[in-house]
Amino acid sequence: MSTRDCQTEAWCESYPINGQFSISRESKATAEVVVCRISSGGFSGIAECVPYRRYGESVDSVIAQIESTASALGADISHERLREDLKPGAARNALDCALWDLQAKSTGRHAHLLACSSLPRPVETAFTISLSDPDSMADAARAASRRPLLKVKLGGQNDIAAMHAVAAAAPNSRIIVDANEAWEPEFLPELLREAARLHIALIEQPLPAGADEALAGIPHPVPICADESVHTTGDLESLGDRYDAVNIKLDKTGGLTEALRMHAKARELGFGVMVGCMVGTSLAMAPAVLLAQDADYVDLDGPLLLARDRTPSLRYEGNTVSPPRSELWG
């Protein structure tokens, strides 16, 4: 794809969260996102990323990365040059997905023709219950109990009580629990046994990345999914003795291009696949919906957690999210 007369711009947008979004390491009431636009030949492609402090990112640093990379590459900007010149993360994601959108707009060919093996369909997403005290989490789960799949944030304290409270409040929902690195190895056997007793479907990132060796030496009565421990395709081969599944997020892989490679390699190695997200708008979710077409678990509920989404937006019906229309992305 030619990118003659290429111009790139990036800016921050803020979206209020409906209430508070809390996990083991932080709470926030606003989603701060970075939007990137690449224009060339009379067409523009747009994308969104979410800087994440856990990975040393900020809004300012991500915008600076986007601007410096675009300046350095100029008309030579491409998916492969981005993969070579920019480390995985939010900035590369925004640039990569904006290029996907630009290619779709300039050629008149939907992104799903390259990203998907068949016509994309709606997918079922989890809905997140934020970390709080067990009673409050039970109330939130009860309010969401008609949703078929819940993702429950845990934090290392009162987690067994929280799991019991949520399971009792939403008896017909499948439940994923996500500790965000907050568990300790000595408590793993008890926590795993209780999760199995409650028929928890999946446990996400129980131990800190880089300190998860204990997962290799114990049974997994509930499948365990890597999140903070896995970013790109190159991480996968080292994780087979510790994890049963991997969470692929565009803001970790650095865009849809690497995420598609990672998805294919994960399947080749026998991992289950979750496609996840940071808390962002429909623009951030749009390329991930294409990636999620045959995922075992989908967690693309970012817009459902916001007080307002951008316009145009993805179409959500309950827990089902439809593929993006071209006026949004791709």
Side-chain angles (χ1 to χ4, degrees), residues 207-208 210-217 241-242:
L207 300 179
D212 53 6
E213 299 87 353
L215 296 174
D241 62 339
R242 283 168 278 170

Side-chain angles (χ1 to χ4, degrees), residues 114-129:
L114 293 176
C116 303
S117 59
S118 59
L119 193 67
R121 56 179 177 78
V123 295
E124 179 186 275
T125 178
F127 180 79
T128 301
I129 305 298

